[in-house]
Amino acid sequence: MRPSEKRQLPVICVAAADAELGAVARTLLRASEHGFSAFVVVSDTDDSTIGDLAERLDAYVLELEFSDESLVDTVESVARAFDFPGLVPVDPSDDEVDFARLEARFRETDDFRIEVPTTDGVSAEEDSRGAVEVVAAIPAYNEGDTIGAVVQGVQHHVDEVVVVDDGSSDDTVAVAERAGATVVEHETNRGYGAAMQTLFSEAHDRNAKVLVTLDGDGQHDPDDVPRLVNAARDGDASLVIGSRFHSDGDHHVPLYRRFGLFVINLLTNLSLGRSWVSDTQSGLRAFDERAIASLATDDTLSDNMSASTDVLYHARRHDYEVEEVGATIYYEGDETSTQNPVSHGLSVVGNILQTIEREQPLRFIGLPGFTTALLGFGLGYWAVANYLQTGSFPTGIVLFCIFTTVVGSLLALTGVILHSIKTHVEALPDHTARNET
């Protein structure tokens, strides 16, 4: 890099006085990874080790007197002389410098000296505004090939893009940061639902007015985001779903996936007992401030892909309005999901059945049990009548009658007991208070 070259990003300024060699090295390496040049300021009386390290890492070494109160002014003059568009003073001991958001901050300000943003949630500048209006949130696991394009596609529609990396083994984190996203990392792979829980918490910490979630595999069209945001901001719905099956949606879903989605949508809507949701598995969703707050504290969400339906159950429990708008879904290649569609479907169906058993036992356990027992009684009556008329004893029918009567009675009794328990639990003060928070 030559001093005469036109600079595209502000230069990092690292004052090396009393700084640890390792801290300086980490700062310079992270800055370089994100495309930032760096000035390292050393005193002419210092050990030359830091200066030698800085030069090896392609940083500019400036020998200045640290007692000079105008140190930063001097460095600023040098930065202007080198034709850098800005200067960012960085404390090398601060490991929370968010270089990804630094570029976005640079694009938003006309100041030459730029306040360094950190990854501790909300920067000082954002905190002074009180809230981040719209946050786009992307759960990601080994999405290094697509996450950069997704972040870049959505970031001009929102105020901040947050990516939760769920223990990826590829370059998802580096690509997302270079694209301009704030990245929150899980040390290990905890599952889609766990990543969503982190995203809700991150949005809540930022006091976001609207949260938009979308997948990191490139299936969603980022240009659909404004429609969801407007619906969540201006309408009555706390949850807005981008549906591929809506009247103005667009998709080319493979036939086997369409069948699986039909089964899951049918079971989900039957278990919800509310107006029909055409695309219960869509990851493109928008949440208003009230839904963000309640979901951020909901510890009942599954860690796996079943979290999509858990969010719908959450909306029903809190009596949130749900709205759907048309969305475009791209299917390129055989598979874009990191989870096999069969195991995904079985996981979701299993979760639906467990939820049905827990939340609507009288309808889905008691009523079928009563119907089965009634069938058993009917068969028993027919068997007795047939024996009296013909003298022939239908052994097979009688055994089936006994079986259906016993099983049906047990199911009906189980449904009544579970319904009674559920009713009493919901009446407890702690349960009521928890649902209201």
Side-chain angles (χ1 to χ4, degrees):
M1 184 184 300
R2 297 289 184 267
S4 60
E5 292 180 357
K6 178 64 178 178
R7 314 302 177 186
Q8 302 297 323
L9 292 173
V11 63
I12 305 299
C13 174
V14 178
D18 300 323
E20 294 182 357
L21 183 64
V24 174
R26 285 193 299 271
T27 299
L28 295 180
L29 287 171
R30 293 184 61 213
S32 178
E33 287 176 356
H34 291 84
F36 289 91
S37 301
F39 287 153
V40 176
V41 182
V42 299
S43 171
D44 53 8
T45 61
D46 282 345
D47 190 304
S48 62
T49 305
I50 290 182
D52 292 341
L53 171 68
E55 290 180 345
R56 291 187 180 185
L57 295 177
D58 293 327
Y60 299 100
V61 178
L62 305 179
E63 292 187 0
L64 298 173
E65 180 57 55
F66 280 89
S67 60
D68 187 353
E69 294 181 357
S70 61
L71 174 65
V72 178
D73 292 334
T74 303
V75 177
E76 179 177 328
S77 299
V78 176
R80 290 182 184 275
F82 276 28
D83 208 16
F84 282 104
L87 176 69
V88 185
V90 171
D91 181 353
S93 63
D94 188 356
D95 291 331
E96 300 300 319
V97 176
D98 191 333
F99 286 98
R101 287 171 60 210
L102 176 56
E103 182 175 353
R105 176 72 56 77
F106 162 64
R107 307 296 182 193
E108 295 170 356
T109 183
D110 295 327
D111 297 335
F112 191 82
R113 291 187 194 175
I114 303 167
E115 177 189 2
V116 59
T118 64
T119 58
D120 58 356
V122 182
S123 67
E125 180 180 331
E126 290 166 337
D127 186 60
S128 66
R129 294 199 303 261
V132 178
E133 186 72 19
V134 181
V135 172
I138 307 170
Y141 176 63
N142 289 341
E143 306 286 7
D145 293 338
T146 55
I147 191 66
V150 175
V151 171
Q152 292 175 348
V154 76
Q155 62 187 356
H156 63 280
H157 294 305
V158 300
D159 298 309
E160 184 180 1
V161 181
V162 178
V163 172
V164 170
D165 177 72
D166 193 33
S168 295
S169 58
D170 65 357
D171 59 349
T172 296
V173 172
V175 173
E177 288 182 338
R178 284 198 300 267
T182 301
V183 179
V184 179
E185 297 183 58
H186 289 175
E187 292 184 1
T188 59
N189 179 240
R190 293 162 51 189
Y192 175 81
M196 291 299 299
Q197 186 73 69
T198 299
L199 290 174
F200 290 129
S201 298
E202 291 291 323
H204 184 54
D205 290 343
R206 287 162 170 74
N207 296 318
K209 302 301 181 184
V210 178
L211 168 68
V212 181
T213 62
L214 64 163
D215 296 341
D217 57 11
Q219 285 192 359
H220 299 133
D221 185 351
D223 291 335
D224 287 332
V225 167
R227 301 174 62 192
L228 276 77
V229 171
N230 292 335
R233 182 184 301 174
D234 303 329
D236 297 326
S238 291
L239 169 59
V240 181
I241 300 174
S243 171
R244 73 199 94 181
F245 303 118
H246 194 267
S247 57
D248 57 347
D250 185 21
H251 69 86
H252 299 283
V253 182
L255 184 60
Y256 73 96
R257 275 186 174 273
R258 192 177 306 177
F259 174 75
L261 286 169
F262 171 78
V263 173
I264 292 175
N265 286 338
L266 178 63
L267 290 174
T268 302
N269 281 284
L270 288 174
S271 64
L272 286 170
R274 61 185 302 165
S275 57
W276 187 269
V277 177
S278 68
D279 197 350
T280 61
Q281 297 305 296
S282 173
L284 180 61
R285 298 177 175 184
F287 304 83
D288 70 0
E289 194 171 10
R290 185 172 57 146
I292 294 170
S294 60
L295 282 163
T297 57
D298 187 350
D299 58 0
T300 65
L301 298 184
S302 303
D303 286 343
N304 54 32
M305 296 298 293
S306 300
S308 295
T309 51
D310 289 338
V311 169
L312 296 177
Y313 294 132
H314 177 99
R316 186 200 63 191
R317 289 195 303 270
H318 290 77
D319 199 27
Y320 291 159
E321 289 292 328
V322 178
E323 180 182 344
E324 289 187 286
V325 299
T328 300
I329 303 293
Y330 300 108
Y331 285 88
E332 298 180 359
D334 295 332
E335 292 296 336
T336 55
S337 174
T338 55
Q339 183 173 9
N340 182 282
V342 175
S343 62
H344 174 193
L346 292 175
S347 172
V348 173
V349 170
N351 182 64
I352 292 171
L353 295 177
Q354 289 178 2
T355 303
I356 288 173
E357 178 184 1
R358 182 176 65 251
E359 299 202 5
Q360 301 188 48
L362 198 59
R363 179 189 298 181
F364 289 94
I365 299 178
L367 185 58
F370 176 78
T371 303
T372 302
L374 190 62
L375 174 64
F377 281 120
L379 289 173
Y381 175 80
W382 180 85
V384 171
N386 181 74
Y387 176 74
L388 293 176
Q389 291 178 1
T390 64
S392 174
F393 187 77
T395 305
I397 293 179
V398 171
L399 292 175
F400 183 73
C401 161
I402 296 173
F403 174 78
T404 54
T405 302
V406 172
V407 171
S409 299
L410 289 174
L411 287 174
L413 181 61
T414 300
V416 171
I417 293 174
L418 290 176
H419 175 75
S420 178
I421 293 174
K422 176 177 178 291
T423 301
H424 283 83
V425 168
E426 288 180 343
L428 294 175
D430 288 346
H431 184 277
T432 304
R434 186 167 59 252
N435 278 342
E436 289 177 352
T437 56

